[in-house]
Amino acid sequence: MQKANSSSSLIEQVEQLHTLLNHYNYQYYVMDEPSVPDSEYDRLIRELIAIEQNNPELKTLDSPSQKVGGEPLKAFSQVTHQIPMLSLDNVFSSDEWEAFVNRLHDRVRHNEKIKICAEPKLDGLAVSLRYVQGVLVQAATRGDGSTGENITENIRTIKSIPLKLKGENGIDYPEVLEVRGEVFMPKSSFKKLNDTAIKKGEKSFANPRNAAAGSLRQLDSKITAQRHLDFYAYGLGYVGNLKNDSKVFLKNSHYQRLCQIKKLGLPMCPEVLLLETTDQVQEFYQNILDKREALSYEIDGTVLKVDDVVLQEKLGYVARAPRWAIAYKFPAQEELTIVEDVEFQVGRTGAITPVARLKPVFVGGVTVSNATLHNQDEIERLGLKINDAVIIRRAGDVIPQIVSVVLEKRHSNAKEIVFPKTCPVCDSNVNRNEGEAVLRCTAGLFCQAQRKEAIKHFSSRKAHDIDGLGDKLVEQLVDEDLISTPADLFKLTEIDISSMERMGVKSAKKLIVAIENAKETTLAKFIYGLGIREVGEATANNLANHFCNLSAIQTASFESLQAVDDVGEIVAKNIIDFFKEEHNLVVVNALNEIMTWPNIVMKKVEELPLTDQTFVLTGSLSQMGRSEAKAALQSLGAKVSGSISAKTHFLVAGEKAGSKLTKAQNLDITILSEEDLIKLFAKYT
Ligand code: D41
């Protein structure tokens, strides 16, 4: 019915929001298969709430804004929560957090410090566990907050949830005790579950939360039992009839309550901390954010609770969320955006990579406008077309990925992605090697794009480290035909360089000096700098240590190459193919004339002091970079690995070393400080 003071377009907008949100809710809660990222859902619900606040007549009882969770599934019996399960409001920035704190102080006229119980926000499912006389009698999902589903049988399969509490009935715990917490699927179990599903050609889950939900909603608890779910308690529900004085159990500190629940045998998240003041929250938030990738379970923020239970009661509730608690969420790792175009980039080795140009979107803390699509197979897997709405994900330092296409948002302007028939840069033939997913330009250094990339690689920090030769300058120099191979760099004159855009005489002079200095190098850097496919720093080092001179590497047989550490059939073939190519030989020979490396016959690898010793580096080093330390170790014959195993001999632990340090300690691996490492270098060099 039309209201006098709401425009019909506003009513339409609200109706559209209802339809969309109800649909997304159904997908999320009933099907355990979200169709859009949480951030998109949050944006729409906030939009709806804002309209409702300004136009109360549009707020109906069945509005999605009035819902706490999902409708209960029909197949499980229903459970009415004796005390409703509340929801949490969100904040997304330090400003919003401070506004929350100010409201706390205003409301309670509390000028003293407010203690905060700080918890990670687990990305799982809220459940309520009911213990009567210490025995687990019922477990329910949150459902809509008042009524949930009876999932007792499924919960019983979770190993960390005790079927019987520790301690004595009526003394250590009350007659009736409801514990609330989050059921979640550890990252490792999630990965295993999805890997198996993919192998069997079955559908995989979008994230550990959906996998946990899907596993808890199994009507057959045998399936749940195979899913390896876990649980952390975060609060209490109904508590009744303690024989002595119920206050004995109910300490007035939320944190201490959690500790007490833990004593009864229920797990509590080890990251939970009691903070003395609200000022410490920002630091907690940052620490948890830094640890996020290393944690064994998925989290999407922190939950901050007024610790004092008396104060909690004074603060009370708004709608169905407490005023004394808030979720301070991390920036979303998944967002919705549009693929505006797909372009093809040619890399150093000729690989033609499709790159999606995105409508810029803020995700995982940065603005993203490109995402690699890897290859044709990936595009087919996604079923992607130009102009599609996609979910983009950026987690930690990982490059942004397109997770999926939101098919229900596809319009008639969706366009097929057409792969180029020839190289998009030089128009030469392209081919796709058998067994490989990538398309390659066959022109090698004759292709302008490959030339540019080869020169950038040659002058990069880990190769010849030519300071002042940025990517843009390389591109200009190649475009102006002043250089076409790395060897040409050494023919450049001050005049050539200073004639480039944004290049003064001073920087040209500096660059000439840097190029001159780059002539002095090591064999390992030289090999690395050639940019042979799949020959990275470590392999280049191994090749240099093994063969000791360039011509030995150039003429090595397929078999003798494979005698080198890290070199298998593929890398050996890449090396041979590289040196077979006439245009590469011209460059290598020219460079061989120009470059100098200590011409002493290098020591054979068996004679190096750290041969056969495996090192792992972790934490930050203050006196040198990690890659510098790695290269120095490798030059002494050591192997440097990325992960700790029983085969590791030494762990070099810098500042803020984390899980690797703990693991190394557990395995009794020798731990070296940065100082120890420097002493080691001093001893051998
Ligand atoms: O880790 C969580 N997901 C979490 C959820 C937590 N650590 N604490 C929570 N505390 C509450 C209150 C303050 C209402 C007892 C929660 C939730 N609620 C919650 N989970 C799902 C909806 C609400």
Side-chain angles (χ1 to χ4, degrees):
M1 198 175 57
Q2 188 134 349
K3 294 276 165 65
N5 53 354
S6 317
S7 72
S8 60
S9 72
L10 205 53
I11 292 173
E12 242 168 60
Q13 198 183 342
V14 167
E15 274 171 8
Q16 270 174 9
L17 284 168
H18 280 204
T19 312
L20 258 184
L21 286 161
N22 283 334
H23 173 67
Y24 293 156
N25 263 327
Y26 180 80
Q27 292 287 110
Y28 189 98
Y29 286 108
V30 182
M31 304 307 289
D32 294 323
E33 202 183 291
S35 43
V36 292
D38 291 355
S39 55
E40 175 71 2
Y41 180 88
D42 287 349
R43 190 180 67 74
L44 295 175
I45 196 98
R46 280 198 298 270
E47 197 179 313
L48 178 61
I49 290 170
I51 297 176
E52 288 175 350
Q53 270 168 356
N54 294 327
N55 309 274
E57 71 283 359
L58 291 181
K59 183 164 155 183
T60 55
L61 276 177
D62 64 354
S63 166
S65 69
Q66 301 307 297
K67 254 175 122 73
V68 180
E71 293 163 37
L73 274 188
K74 295 292 172 282
F76 290 101
S77 68
Q78 303 208 344
V79 170
T80 305
H81 298 298
Q82 198 163 349
I83 296 179
M85 291 185 77
L86 301 167
S87 62
L88 279 172
D89 280 340
N90 293 324
V91 293
F92 288 91
S93 66
S94 57
D95 286 353
E96 286 176 3
W97 160 250
E98 269 159 34
F100 173 80
V101 172
N102 289 338
R103 289 199 297 276
L104 284 183
H105 282 282
D106 287 350
R107 217 163 246 292
V108 294
R109 287 195 212 88
H110 196 289
N111 296 321
E112 290 163 40
K113 297 201 157 97
I114 298 179
K115 284 190 193 173
I116 296 288
C117 181
E119 309 171 13
K121 186 169 184 300
L122 301 155
D123 204 6
L125 253 89
V127 298
S128 185
L129 311 176
R130 189 175 170 96
Y131 288 90
V132 174
Q133 294 180 352
V135 177
L136 177 68
V137 295
Q138 190 176 67
T141 62
R142 189 169 56 115
D144 65 3
S146 325
T147 311
E149 295 134 29
N150 186 335
I151 50 160
T152 315
E153 285 316 306
N154 291 344
I155 287 291
R156 281 169 179 283
T157 69
I158 300 178
K159 294 205 172 62
S160 54
I161 295 181
L163 300 178
K164 171 100 183 61
L165 296 178
K166 278 211 254 198
E168 202 178 321
N169 181 24
I171 307 286
D172 301 299
Y173 49 79
E175 182 90 358
V176 182
L177 175 67
E178 277 184 10
V179 175
R180 273 142 192 206
E182 199 85 356
V183 169
F184 58 94
M185 184 176 283
K187 288 176 186 168
S188 57
S189 320
F190 171 69
K191 190 170 179 301
K192 263 187 225 147
L193 179 64
N194 264 1
D195 287 352
T196 317
I198 291 166
K199 248 187 232 148
K200 287 193 197 157
E202 292 167 3
K203 250 193 4 216
S204 54
F205 287 104
N207 54 50
R209 201 216 78 91
N210 290 107
S215 306
L216 267 191
R217 278 131 167 271
Q218 293 292 333
L219 290 171
D220 178 359
S221 64
K222 281 199 212 75
I223 299 181
T224 316
Q226 294 161 1
R227 297 290 176 86
H228 303 286
L229 297 170
D230 208 337
F231 173 84
Y232 284 140
Y234 65 63
L236 289 172
Y238 179 76
V239 179
N241 296 342
L242 192 66
K243 270 187 199 144
N244 304 343
D245 175 359
S246 68
K247 296 280 182 318
V248 176
F249 179 75
L250 296 178
K251 291 256 170 45
N252 274 335
S253 149
H254 173 77
Y255 179 77
Q256 284 180 11
R257 285 183 178 186
L258 291 186
C259 294
Q260 235 165 337
I261 297 172
K262 187 176 166 191
K263 283 199 190 119
L264 300 177
L266 282 146
M268 162 185 174
C269 176
E271 306 299 330
V272 174
L273 281 184
L274 179 59
L275 307 179
E276 291 300 315
T277 84
T278 53
D279 299 339
Q280 292 167 358
V281 162
Q282 203 53 49
E283 196 187 337
F284 176 82
Y285 173 92
Q286 193 55 49
N287 282 341
I288 295 288
L289 184 55
D290 291 344
K291 266 193 185 174
R292 183 182 195 173
E293 297 299 311
L295 292 176
S296 62
Y297 43 87
E298 202 82 53
I299 59 172
D300 61 350
T302 59
V303 183
L304 306 159
K305 302 174 182 174
V306 170
D307 186 62
D308 182 335
V309 177
V310 177
L311 206 51
Q312 286 182 359
E313 277 159 16
K314 270 196 208 157
L315 285 158
Y317 308 86
V318 243
R320 294 197 209 171
R323 283 208 189 88
W324 45 266
I326 197 98
Y328 182 177
K329 299 237 277 195
F330 296 146
Q333 290 186 320
E334 288 190 356
E335 274 293 352
L336 197 63
T337 190
I338 305 282
V339 172
E340 293 181 327
D341 201 0
V342 173
E343 287 171 14
F344 295 88
Q345 273 178 356
V346 183
R348 173 168 56 80
T349 59
I352 297 173
T353 316
V355 178
R357 303 285 177 224
L358 306 169
K359 183 163 171 240
V361 61
F362 189 73
V363 57
V366 299
T367 300
V368 172
S369 40
N370 301 306
T372 170
L373 288 162
H374 305 289
N375 52 50
Q376 193 147 14
D377 293 357
E378 172 76 357
I379 290 177
E380 278 165 21
R381 189 185 68 79
L382 290 166
L384 178 71
K385 293 187 176 183
I386 294 167
N387 290 325
D388 269 348
V390 292
I391 297 176
I392 172 128
R393 178 175 173 82
R394 182 185 177 273
D397 294 332
V398 182
I399 55 166
Q401 297 280 333
I402 292 180
V403 182
S404 59
V405 173
V406 184
L407 276 182
E408 48 191 83
K409 287 190 182 285
R410 177 170 284 172
H411 292 303
S412 55
N413 67 353
K415 269 196 314 203
E416 208 71 48
I417 296 164
V418 182
F419 269 69
K421 297 272 179 295
T422 57
C423 172
V425 173
C426 71
D427 215 24
S428 302
N429 288 338
V430 294
N431 73 8
R432 189 170 165 167
N433 284 350
E434 214 175 296
E436 264 191 8
V438 285
L439 203 63
R440 281 177 204 279
C441 163
T442 52
L445 285 181
F446 295 109
C447 171
Q448 192 98 331
Q450 291 181 65
R451 261 184 219 162
K452 288 177 183 172
E453 295 310 312
I455 297 168
K456 286 180 200 170
H457 179 78
F458 179 86
S459 49
S460 66
R461 205 171 47 80
K462 289 180 187 170
H464 300 287
D465 197 14
I466 306 181
D467 228 16
L469 186 62
D471 288 358
K472 285 271 158 348
L473 185 56
V474 171
E475 283 168 24
Q476 273 186 62
L477 289 165
V478 174
D479 287 340
E480 299 287 326
D481 269 338
L482 283 168
I483 54 174
S484 57
T485 75
D488 294 342
L489 284 172
F490 299 92
K491 296 188 214 146
L492 282 172
T493 65
E494 232 175 89
I495 298 168
D496 292 338
I497 297 170
S498 56
S499 69
M500 295 293 110
E501 256 172 63
R502 271 167 300 184
M503 264 293 168
V505 178
K506 230 173 151 185
S507 21
K509 271 199 164 69
K510 263 192 172 165
L511 183 52
I512 291 288
V513 174
I515 293 173
E516 190 58 32
N517 289 341
K519 288 183 180 172
E520 206 178 302
T521 185
T522 64
L523 180 57
K525 284 186 186 220
F526 183 80
I527 296 296
Y528 172 73
L530 292 178
I532 304 166
R533 258 167 71 192
E534 290 179 60
V535 176
E537 243 187 322
T539 309
N541 247 306
N542 294 345
L543 285 165
N545 286 337
H546 187 95
F547 290 105
C548 303
N549 68 67
L550 179 63
S551 68
I553 300 174
Q554 262 181 281
T555 53
S557 69
F558 187 59
E559 287 72 28
S560 62
L561 282 168
Q562 286 178 66
V564 179
D565 258 355
D566 277 355
V567 178
E569 283 180 20
I570 295 176
V571 175
K573 182 168 183 308
N574 288 344
I575 296 169
I576 288 182
D577 286 351
F578 181 89
F579 289 115
K580 256 204 302 222
E581 205 66 64
E582 187 56 36
H583 63 257
N584 287 335
L585 283 180
V586 172
V587 178
V588 172
N589 291 338
L591 284 172
N592 201 4
E593 295 284 305
I594 298 164
M595 313 293 281
T596 55
W597 49 82
N599 211 4
I600 41 161
V601 178
M602 287 171 66
K603 280 189 182 167
K604 280 273 186 190
V605 72
E606 305 85 79
E607 297 160 19
L608 291 170
L610 299 179
T611 298
D612 289 337
Q613 301 296 308
T614 302
F615 283 70
V616 173
L617 301 167
T618 189
S620 55
L621 304 176
S622 58
Q623 316 225 2
M624 64 184 99
R626 257 206 272 183
S627 56
E628 211 183 316
K630 181 174 165 184
L633 282 168
Q634 286 171 336
S635 72
L636 294 173
K639 267 196 196 166
V640 180
S641 160
S643 59
I644 300 270
S645 74
K647 290 186 190 148
T648 310
H649 297 97
F650 299 97
L651 175 77
V652 180
E655 285 278 307
K656 286 198 176 160
S659 58
K660 283 187 191 159
L661 180 56
T662 325
K663 193 162 175 196
Q665 283 162 340
N666 291 340
L667 288 171
D668 257 345
I669 288 165
T670 311
I671 317 273
L672 302 180
S673 66
E674 183 175 359
E675 231 167 80
D676 297 335
L677 186 68
I678 291 168
K679 278 187 202 149
L680 192 76
F681 289 153
K683 187 167 152 196
Y684 291 123
T685 48

